[in-house]
Amino acid sequence: MTATANSNKERVFIFDTTLRDGEQSPGATMTLEEKLQVADALDEMGVDIIEAGFPIASNGDFEAVVAVAKQVKNATVAGLARAITADIDRAGEAVRHAQKGRIHTFVSTSPIHLAHQMKKTEDEVIEIIARTVAQARNLVDDVEWSAMDATRTPLEFLKRCVDTAIKAGATTINLPDTVGYAVPEEHFRMFKTIIESVPNADKAIFSVHCHDDLGMAVANSLAGVAGGARQIECTINGLGERAGNAALEEVVMALRTRGDAMPYFTEIETTQLSRASRIVSAASNFPVQYNKAIVGKNAFAHESGIHQDGMLKNAETYEIMTPASVGIKETTLVMGKHSGRAAFKDKLKELGYELGDNAFQEAFQRFKDLADRKKHVYDADIIALVDDEVGSVGDRIKLVDMEVVSKTGGVHKCNLVVTIDGVETSVSYEGTGSVDAIFNAIKEASGQDPHLVLYAVDGVTGGTDAQASAHVRLEMNGRIASGNAAEPDTLVASARAYLNALNRVMIERGAAAQGALAG
């Protein structure tokens, strides 16, 4: 969108919290390398503020915020902190490495939080706000203050809190719908009332942060903007606690597509939305649902005869935005076993991947192996193949060989060979079915006994030779991790997905133990 087109519109700042709130989704923990890759994608896309983590949470979180702060070139980098002296000092230490750093501090304000979690009076909360916001402002010039559970806070008390935070030096005021309780009309009214009645409201930017518990996070975010907010807090793919946050791609494209109804604009380069979605999905091991708005596999797919007829005559009959506007190609180039390295490298670049020499060679070999087993290799196959390869780098436990014997009404047995830290181990195990035998064999070989929370399989593309995409979520000692894998053989995909999740949950356990020792 050009500067001329935006001249009569007000700018809305995009605050992305994929690396903080998004990573708090059970099983979505990312490695440092994955966080840096996501941060790069956000920065290149034009995100205004990147909330990189919660520095006091662990040494790993602190180090990740520092690393992101050092790497990001354009965006402001924020660190989250409770209204506690140690939290704010830790956040300040982490973001001082950024070209533009922000401390984002918060405190509960709703009666239910004060009574059951904070155990504080309203006057005590006001004192905490004044003291901690001033502390943060002494460390950085850019301070954001949030009223946790603002939408269930009485307006008169919320006004006092906002006024106190601004007087203490807050430059951004966030009124989050922490539990996804609000409806758009009351969300609009809350922002409009606070902004119009707090004396120094013009000295701060107001922000929305909406959760999707009732499926209204995007609608509430846009209603808040209509009420005067000029910052939207969101995540790629709507990742986040419980039902997730407002999806960045949805709020951005809603403002862009319906500029007639909403006279606002962002500085997001929308053609990078699809790429960012894939990067976050791979890093978090959270697959994007097919019918997800903007970036889902079916977002620009048409199967109905009526829809296809309309699309052939004029794409605008059934598409209110073009696939190209969000970085999705209208047509798919079919890759096969006769494709060479140059064609494969060009296809990877088109799909948004840049791999090092070793990673490229491994991906190319897997592509050739897949092409030998399939008639056609589609873009979705290549995406699954590369994401699967990247997600398994550095795994302690790796699959070497597997043989499964299955008979109707008879035995189901898995003969498994894995390497654990480079040492080969062989086991055999029976189960009530093929998958049960495979998972039990892995547990026997690894000496680990995690609880299986989720197991699902779907096809990456159509046809009987389609790759199977397997998804596994495991829980062990209070830690949850997800894994996925794609293979033409469903059983192999299942085994590799289980190993991917097991490797991740073991990494998380190690990080947690390290953090506990440090604390």
Side-chain angles (χ1 to χ4, degrees), residues 472-496:
V472 170
R473 187 171 299 168
L474 301 177
E475 180 179 15
M476 189 161 62
N477 296 336
R479 296 279 172 174
I480 298 176
S482 299
N484 57 40
E487 286 275 352
D489 188 318
T490 302
L491 296 181
V492 175
S494 301
R496 294 185 65 234

Side-chain angles (χ1 to χ4, degrees), residues 12 14 176-177 179-185 187-188 191 207-227 229 231-239 243-258 262 264 266 273 289 291-295 320-321:
V12 171
I14 297 298
D177 187 20
V179 293
Y181 180 74
V183 298
E185 183 180 350
H187 210 234
F188 163 83
F191 276 94
S207 179
V208 294
H209 178 116
C210 300
H211 280 264
D212 209 33
D213 297 73
L214 294 176
M216 292 187 282
V218 170
N220 281 329
S221 296
L222 298 175
V225 170
Q231 176 179 285
I232 297 177
E233 305 193 5
C234 44
T235 61
I236 299 293
N237 298 336
L239 204 62
N245 292 327
L248 181 149
E249 60 276 5
E250 293 179 26
V251 295
V252 166
M253 289 307 294
L255 292 174
R256 186 181 191 272
T257 305
R258 291 306 313 274
M262 296 177 284
Y264 316 105
T266 73
L273 288 171
Q289 66 191 66
N291 62 333
K292 167 76 175 64
I294 314 300
V295 293
I320 60 173
M321 62 195 115

Side-chain angles (χ1 to χ4, degrees), residues 290 297-298 303 373-381 458-468 488:
Y290 283 9
K297 182 179 178 180
N298 289 347
E303 187 169 335
R373 290 178 282 171
K374 289 195 67 181
K375 285 185 177 181
H376 303 295
V377 180
Y378 298 96
D379 287 6
D381 289 311
D458 54 50
V460 174
T461 57
T464 56
D465 64 348
Q467 285 196 96

Side-chain angles (χ1 to χ4, degrees), residues 367-517:
F367 158 71
K368 296 293 279 188
D369 292 342
L370 179 62
D372 282 336
R373 290 178 282 171
K374 289 195 67 181
K375 285 185 177 181
H376 303 295
V377 180
Y378 298 96
D379 287 6
D381 289 311
I382 295 172
I383 289 167
L385 180 150
V386 177
D387 287 348
D388 184 20
E389 185 71 24
V390 171
S392 64
V393 172
D395 283 354
R396 290 182 57 200
I397 310 174
K398 296 183 178 182
L399 180 66
V400 175
D401 191 29
M402 184 177 75
E403 179 184 46
V404 179
V405 178
S406 185
K407 185 178 180 181
T408 304
V411 67
H412 300 272
K413 184 177 181 180
C414 175
N415 300 315
L416 183 77
V417 182
V418 296
T419 59
I420 302 175
D421 295 329
V423 179
E424 194 168 287
T425 300
S426 300
V427 296
S428 293
Y429 212 99
E430 296 181 1
T432 56
S434 298
V435 173
D436 185 54
I438 292 167
F439 289 1
N440 282 328
I442 294 173
K443 289 195 285 187
E444 177 73 10
S446 65
Q448 305 292 334
D449 188 23
H451 169 62
L452 180 64
V453 178
L454 171 72
Y455 167 62
V457 177
D458 54 50
V460 174
T461 57
T464 56
D465 64 348
Q467 285 196 96
S469 179
H471 310 285
V472 170
R473 187 171 299 168
L474 301 177
E475 180 179 15
M476 189 161 62
N477 296 336
R479 296 279 172 174
I480 298 176
S482 299
N484 57 40
E487 286 275 352
D489 188 318
T490 302
L491 296 181
V492 175
S494 301
R496 294 185 65 234
Y498 190 99
L499 284 167
N500 186 236
L502 182 59
N503 277 292
R504 281 176 170 267
V505 81
M506 290 172 69
I507 290 171
E508 290 179 35
R509 287 180 65 203
Q514 183 180 2
L517 289 171

Side-chain angles (χ1 to χ4, degrees), residues 95-147:
V95 302
R96 72 178 179 84
H97 300 278
Q99 294 186 33
K100 294 179 288 184
R102 171 182 294 188
I103 293 176
H104 178 194
T105 183
F106 68 94
V107 68
S108 294
T109 56
S110 68
I112 191 168
H113 277 220
L114 298 194
H116 299 287
Q117 189 172 16
M118 289 280 290
K119 300 190 184 303
K120 300 287 185 183
T121 66
E122 290 186 352
D123 288 341
E124 286 174 325
V125 170
I126 292 295
E127 186 278 327
I128 289 171
I129 295 169
R131 173 169 45 81
T132 55
V133 170
Q135 177 196 351
R137 188 57 189 268
N138 284 333
L139 297 174
V140 294
D141 292 331
D142 189 348
V143 175
E144 176 170 342
W145 175 78
S146 289

